[in-house]
Amino acid sequence: MSEENANIEQAENGLLYKYNREMFYHFDREKGYTREIDYQISENQTIIKQSWDAAEQRLEGVRQRIIAGRLSPIAYYMEKALMEVPILAAYMEMSKWRIRWHLTPKGFKNLKPEILEKYASVFGIPVEEMKHPNF
Amino acid sequence: MESKSILIDYTHRQAGHCESGATSNLFNFYGHKLSEPMAFGIGNGLYFSYIPFLKVQFAPMISFRNLPNTVFHRSAKNLGVDATVIKKFKDPNAAMLALDRNLEKGIPTGMQVGVFNLTFFPPEYRMHYNMHNLVCFGKEGNLYHISDTVMEHRHVLTYEDLMRVRYAKGPFAPNGKMYWINTIPKELDIKSAVITGIKKTVYEMIKVPFPLIGVKGLRWMARDLKKWPRKHGDAKAAFYLGQILRMNEDFGTGGAGFRYIYGAFLKESGELFNNPELLEASDMMGKTANKWREFTYIGARNCRGRSKPEEDYGMLGNMLNEIATMEENVYKKLDKIKL
């Protein structure tokens, strides 16, 4: 409980995301509609953070499954790029089934070098890292 | 590539919503003072759909906005402006060439892009979201000048980066879509455009004979929301709720923000045509928007974890139902107004 309170306090004092200020509309019965430029308020920043936390959790789950030998490294980089199979298939210009096959260790082992290169370029990493992932 | 540099005298103004902001800025460039709410209202920015069987970012698809390019296309059509929309280029290089040609002619050009690879975009928003809009208004060597209404300032993008975001993949892929205004009449018939705009929005929100769109979709979502903790467990329910809230408030607009913009549109047109009923509807819309924002606050607190989730979700569901009724009243009122 105390940890949760600390989190809330932190979110209220220092905002998490301060990259860009956006325009917000407000309504008040006396003042009517007003516009102001400000950072996202802390409530919204919390829910944005929730989605990034969930992504991190998914990534950790995938990492564990790769270590256990049930998935190929492509799954890790796909998750890291927040992609899902249909999106990756569109970027790779391949069928979803082929991508799913490449996600298995068996399918990964027999990958042609040019396809591996294409994966690397989609993820924006060197090919060497695809073969020997460091996580 | 020739290194001729072009810079069109285009004013970047920040706005609440990317597309209506871009539309308003483009109209302003051609000398017509069309405010962002006006563009939003005339172009039917307001919308709601809830599609539980389609998953986006691992949660049900909830959309508070119309399909991409509706705002620009419809506001141009309703105002009788000659505008061009090219939906798709097969070849990315051809798409960039078409943009260059436009810039040489001095036409600021709007484009649909995906935000995942958009280098200047806030890192916290960089997901595979493909319905963003920006306007390109200049070129220097390899760099393009970009006005993005979400950002405070103007930015630049390299040729490769711009091509990458214009060809982002995934749901609603932009495929290099671009749009611009050719000629604009001296006098715009705002009144008839406003009437058409309101009629269409009312139709989309309460009259579509399909249960997942408009106010009906909102009610459906409220009903599902109550079931989530029992059906999916607390963690997943909180994540789904977070998705509603993210769609609701992300980018400063979404649900609540759009209601504010729409209310501002009703107020502006009410003042323009001296119509007290429109002003009243605008007040009602403002209250609805405030309720939406309250919903977000309560929901966000709920996402942080509370003791009795089932009660909380029930309360949130009831609140959504209340919002749905409030909105329905606004649209019913708008339906009866004769301008």
Side-chain angles (χ1 to χ4, degrees), chain B residues 267-288:
Chain B
K267 183 161 183 259
E268 207 180 316
S269 28
E271 278 165 2
L272 207 60
F273 313 135
N274 269 329
N275 190 322
E277 278 177 291
L278 271 179
L279 291 176
E280 210 176 296
S282 138
D283 259 21
M284 284 159 77
M285 206 52 168
K287 275 177 217 155
T288 317

Side-chain angles (χ1 to χ4, degrees), chain A residues 25 35, chain B residues 10-11 13-15 17-40 71-72 75 135 149 179 181:
Chain A
Y25 282 72
R35 285 190 276 188
Chain B
Y10 179 81
T11 328
R13 279 186 211 83
Q14 206 174 5
H17 169 45
C18 58
E19 193 176 342
S20 52
T23 307
S24 143
N25 281 349
L26 281 174
F27 272 82
N28 275 302
F29 174 78
Y30 289 97
H32 283 279
K33 279 216 157 40
L34 191 76
S35 68
E36 191 206 350
M38 228 38 190
F40 183 82
V71 172
F72 177 79
S75 42
V135 175
T149 52
Y179 50 89
I181 294 175

Side-chain angles (χ1 to χ4, degrees), chain A residues 4 8 11-12 17 19-27 29 32-33 35 37 40-44 46-48 50-52 54 58 79 81-84 87 90-91 93, chain B residues 14-15 36 58 116 120 122-128 150-152 168-169 238-239 242 245-246 249-252 260-261 263-264 267 282-283 286-287 290 293 296-297 304:
Chain A
E4 188 201 315
I8 292 170
E12 269 162 7
Y17 305 112
Y19 180 85
N20 177 47
R21 292 191 300 168
E22 290 162 46
M23 183 180 274
F24 294 98
Y25 282 72
H26 296 284
F27 175 76
R29 199 177 281 175
Y33 289 91
R35 285 190 276 188
I37 293 176
Q40 284 275 17
I41 52 155
S42 70
E43 270 91 351
N44 290 348
T46 317
I47 45 179
I48 295 170
Q50 185 206 25
S51 112
W52 288 104
R58 283 197 303 270
E79 199 59 65
L82 303 173
M83 285 182 184
E84 289 159 65
I87 298 180
Y91 273 108
E93 292 161 337
Chain B
Q14 206 174 5
E36 191 206 350
F58 307 96
F116 187 70
F120 58 74
E124 69 266 25
Y125 291 150
R126 294 232 206 113
M127 305 195 172
H128 292 275
V150 170
M151 310 301 293
E152 269 185 281
K169 300 282 165 50
F239 183 70
L245 303 179
R246 265 189 296 284
E249 283 290 339
D250 236 10
F251 302 96
Y260 285 115
I261 301 177
K267 183 161 183 259
S282 138
D283 259 21
K287 275 177 217 155
N290 280 341
R293 206 154 260 180
T296 318
Y297 293 164
R304 283 171 180 160

Side-chain angles (χ1 to χ4, degrees), chain B residues 170-201:
Chain B
F172 302 104
N175 286 324
K177 185 187 269 182
M178 54 196 267
Y179 50 89
W180 64 89
I181 294 175
N182 292 320
T183 50
I184 205 161
K186 278 230 167 63
E187 291 292 317
L188 291 180
D189 187 3
I190 301 259
K191 189 162 186 173
S192 77
V194 165
I195 295 170
T196 329
I198 290 180
K199 256 189 196 157
K200 188 84 188 165
T201 302

Side-chain angles (χ1 to χ4, degrees), chain B residues 67-68 71 76 144 208 229 253 258 286 311 317 335:
Chain B
L67 287 171
V71 172
Y144 286 86
V208 176
T253 49
F258 283 9
E311 264 176 37
D335 202 18

Side-chain angles (χ1 to χ4, degrees), chain B residues 214-252:
Chain B
V215 173
K216 286 180 223 157
L218 210 54
R219 293 223 168 89
W220 194 294
M221 188 169 81
R223 214 173 63 200
D224 276 6
L225 176 69
K226 290 181 196 171
K227 290 184 206 155
W228 282 343
R230 228 174 314 140
K231 204 169 159 191
H232 301 296
D234 288 345
K236 207 167 181 186
F239 183 70
Y240 280 12
L241 176 63
Q243 180 83 350
I244 299 183
L245 303 179
R246 265 189 296 284
M247 289 295 142
N248 198 353
E249 283 290 339
D250 236 10
F251 302 96

